[in-house]
Amino acid sequence: MSFNDGVRADPGRVRRSRGTRGTRGAAVGGGAGVLVLLVYLFTGADLSGLVDGGAGGGAPATEGAGFEHCRTAADANADTDCRMVYTADALDQYWVAALPEATGTAYEMPGFEVFTGSVSTGCGNATSAVGPFYCPPDASVFLDTGFFDQLETQLGAENAPLAQMYIVAHEWGHHIQNQLGTMDAIDRQGTGPESDGVRLELQADCYAGLWVGHASSVVDPDSGETFLAPPTDAQVADALDAAAAVGDDRIQAGAGQQVDPESWTHGSAEQRQRWFTAGYSGGTVAACDTFRAGTL
């Protein structure tokens, strides 16, 4: 899925911070690190007590620093950092119209911080081992783009553009849930394939699919061009593979653990793919109501 010529985005939309590197290799390289990734990946939950308070936060975030070269669609199509800038803009422009239309709630842009090694957040000091996450107190998405390499080398999915965009769009989905009060209204302590926590994650997957399905019709207000070319079947398959790769059952098995549905916090590979597809093909926010679904 590529950005169309003529589309422009603001490099200042994304913040960057740099912490100490080296934690990721130790945390994710072994079975324990994979288990950390299993438990916390895409969580959207408060990370207090789950992250290393002694790791040290990242350097203060600087808006736009390091993204000055991200000026054209060609930059976004060739460079991961620039893809983050343009994906954030495309997500903002979709949700600023879709959220109030579907729910009557005005969209508020989340923060988006790309960090290296570790980062200090309102949810605690997190390292790259946590994976991409959304912090409700900060109303912000945090991501170390090095995770995309891990997606391929550790989890077996293709490090492809739409797979990367799916991950960011999933975290944006948690921001939508935070705005709508969904996070505060559910029991996030339970586990299992039908638990509220799994429903929360599957809804975020559905919101990601919803954006992918509409992204090629969302217009960049600065250029009048649509942001993205329609995705090919192969590109959608990349996103689906990424969704499956972060299924609880897939990661448990990959870590040499027994597959235990009662411990799931994010949903199985099949569930995650199914709800991404529900958003992608259903085309409405209402189609993503996992909390009213009789079965997931």
Side-chain angles (χ1 to χ4, degrees):
M1 198 168 187
S2 57
F3 289 92
N4 291 320
D5 292 341
V7 174
R8 294 290 183 268
D10 177 12
R13 172 67 179 90
V14 183
R15 298 169 293 170
R16 181 186 292 282
S17 63
R18 299 182 188 278
T20 56
R21 187 174 286 280
T23 307
R24 182 192 306 120
V28 180
V34 174
L35 187 58
V36 168
L37 202 59
L38 162 66
V39 176
Y40 306 131
L41 184 65
F42 298 152
T43 176
D46 189 337
L47 301 179
S48 300
L50 306 182
V51 294
D52 183 1
T62 304
E63 293 185 2
F67 300 102
E68 296 87 350
H69 64 294
C70 301
R71 296 293 180 183
T72 69
D75 297 329
N77 292 331
D79 180 270
T80 298
D81 280 351
C82 297
R83 188 173 297 117
M84 297 300 96
V85 171
Y86 275 66
T87 299
D89 203 358
L91 281 159
D92 285 339
Q93 292 304 322
Y94 171 70
W95 283 112
V96 76
L99 187 63
E101 180 181 347
T103 69
T105 300
Y107 174 69
E108 299 173 4
M109 293 193 306
F112 187 19
E113 186 166 328
V114 173
F115 70 95
T116 301
S118 62
V119 66
S120 179
T121 80
C123 299
N125 291 329
T127 72
S128 298
V130 175
F133 66 94
Y134 175 74
C135 177
D138 291 333
S140 294
V141 173
F142 295 87
L143 178 149
D144 184 331
T145 56
F147 170 76
F148 297 140
D149 294 326
Q150 296 169 12
L151 183 67
E152 185 166 327
T153 60
Q154 298 285 335
L155 300 175
E158 192 76 20
N159 182 8
L162 193 54
Q164 296 177 0
M165 293 179 195
Y166 151 71
I167 290 166
V168 178
H170 174 101
E171 298 306 333
W172 241 254
H174 284 315
H175 178 66
I176 299 303
Q177 292 167 328
N178 193 29
Q179 273 208 255
L180 294 176
T182 308
M183 288 184 173
D184 294 332
I186 65 171
D187 174 13
R188 293 166 64 189
Q189 301 304 310
T191 62
E194 301 287 329
S195 64
D196 279 0
V198 166
R199 291 175 189 272
L200 190 78
E201 296 300 326
L202 297 181
Q203 185 176 60
D205 282 333
C206 190
Y207 287 158
L210 184 61
W211 172 74
V212 171
H214 286 277
S216 62
S217 62
V218 176
V219 175
D220 169 26
D222 296 325
S223 66
E225 302 282 344
T226 54
F227 273 99
L228 288 148
T232 66
D233 290 344
Q235 289 168 339
V236 174
D238 288 335
L240 287 168
D241 284 348
V246 293
D248 284 328
D249 55 339
R250 186 76 62 85
I251 300 181
Q252 284 178 332
Q257 309 291 322
Q258 181 178 355
V259 175
D260 176 20
E262 294 309 311
S263 69
W264 290 353
T265 57
H266 294 77
S268 69
E270 188 274 335
Q271 286 177 313
R272 301 198 72 158
Q273 287 186 320
R274 181 171 357 132
W275 281 98
F276 175 92
T277 302
Y280 180 72
S281 60
T284 66
V285 171
C288 294
D289 193 348
T290 55
F291 294 94
R292 290 183 179 272
T295 179
L296 298 177

